[in-house]
Amino acid sequence: RKSGFEVIHIENASQDEFYDSLTKLKNKIKMYGTRTDVLFYYAGHASQVDGINYLNPVDTVVTSENQLEVRSVNMNRVFEILDEARGGVKIAILDACRNNPFSVSIRSSKPGLAQMLAPRGTFIAFSTGPGQTAIDGSFDGYGIYTGSLIQAMQKENITIEEVFKETRKLVVDKTSGNQVPWDSSSLITDFYFI
């Protein structure tokens, strides 16, 4: 909000609530126009199967990997909505690189999230590197990554790349080098939070 974003906040979302929020986001993009800047932030459980990342709402229960597509949220669907803002900066922040809660029932799953290529004009930030898991802990009342990101975002007149480099430094320091945030960017313009 301090950066001028209108916020659609949803906490402990079921799959239906998650999809309802994505529909609201899509409608907001249409209302503001294709040149608007859009940010999607997700903190929670996620799964990776065959290089596809799934965000798991609180009511996700699966016993086989083919159920993820219908009971979870494919991150590619989120990108489709973000891409509605064709001329704006699109930012996706995923604090979701923890152990897959379904790894026992999904044999082909891997730890952490798969690397994703950023669609044109998109910045994707991960709380840790591809295939890695985040360390549990807290910083300023949040998880280590989110607390570090909030601190880095408070700095004025630094680009988005500098914000996430500062976030990376803070997380590496607080985890003694055991967690290294990752990002992927195809931005072609500068972006500043403040």
Side-chain angles (χ1 to χ4, degrees):
R1 287 188 177 103
K2 286 181 184 177
S3 298
F5 284 97
E6 182 176 333
V7 177
I8 299 169
H9 179 258
I10 184 163
E11 198 170 322
N12 298 321
S14 67
Q15 186 186 40
D16 287 344
E17 292 168 330
F18 202 121
Y19 280 126
D20 286 347
S21 293
L22 289 176
T23 299
K24 287 178 188 172
L25 177 60
K26 185 175 183 175
N27 291 337
K28 290 286 184 185
I29 294 169
K30 286 181 178 181
M31 184 177 81
Y32 287 111
T34 59
R35 298 195 55 79
T36 193
D37 297 330
V38 182
L39 186 149
F40 173 83
Y41 170 85
Y42 176 80
H45 288 289
S47 306
Q48 171 199 166
V49 175
D50 295 331
I52 299 173
N53 294 316
Y54 296 93
L55 308 180
N56 300 320
V58 296
D59 59 349
T60 302
V61 177
V62 299
T63 56
S64 66
E65 63 188 59
N66 61 350
Q67 292 176 331
L68 274 172
E69 191 62 45
V70 294
R71 296 187 180 165
S72 196
V73 178
N74 186 324
M75 188 60 198
N76 290 323
R77 292 183 77 179
V78 175
F79 283 134
E80 287 171 11
I81 291 171
L82 295 180
D83 211 36
E84 294 282 325
R86 291 184 231 354
V89 171
K90 298 165 284 281
I91 304 163
I93 303 171
L94 302 174
D95 187 1
C97 303
R98 295 175 181 84
N99 283 326
N100 181 350
F102 310 117
S103 59
V104 173
S105 57
I106 302 175
R107 296 183 190 271
S108 65
S109 69
K110 295 180 181 172
L113 295 177
Q115 184 171 352
M116 295 179 280
L117 295 177
R120 187 175 138 195
T122 305
F123 189 95
I124 308 171
F126 300 89
S127 61
T128 192
Q132 302 296 311
T133 55
I135 295 169
D136 285 329
S138 63
F139 174 50
D140 282 350
Y142 299 93
I144 294 170
Y145 177 75
T146 296
S148 299
L149 174 60
I150 290 169
Q151 181 173 320
M153 287 175 74
Q154 304 302 315
K155 294 187 175 184
E156 295 181 8
N157 300 315
I158 65 172
T159 64
I160 189 171
E161 292 86 0
E162 293 171 304
V163 166
F164 283 94
K165 187 184 290 182
E166 179 65 22
T167 301
R168 188 175 302 117
K169 287 179 192 174
L170 290 166
V171 172
V172 167
D173 181 58
K174 295 192 178 321
T175 64
S176 301
N178 290 313
Q179 180 177 333
V180 181
W182 196 266
D183 56 62
S184 174
S185 176
S186 65
L187 292 183
I188 53 176
T189 59
D190 287 334
F191 179 84
Y192 300 84
F193 285 104
I194 301 176

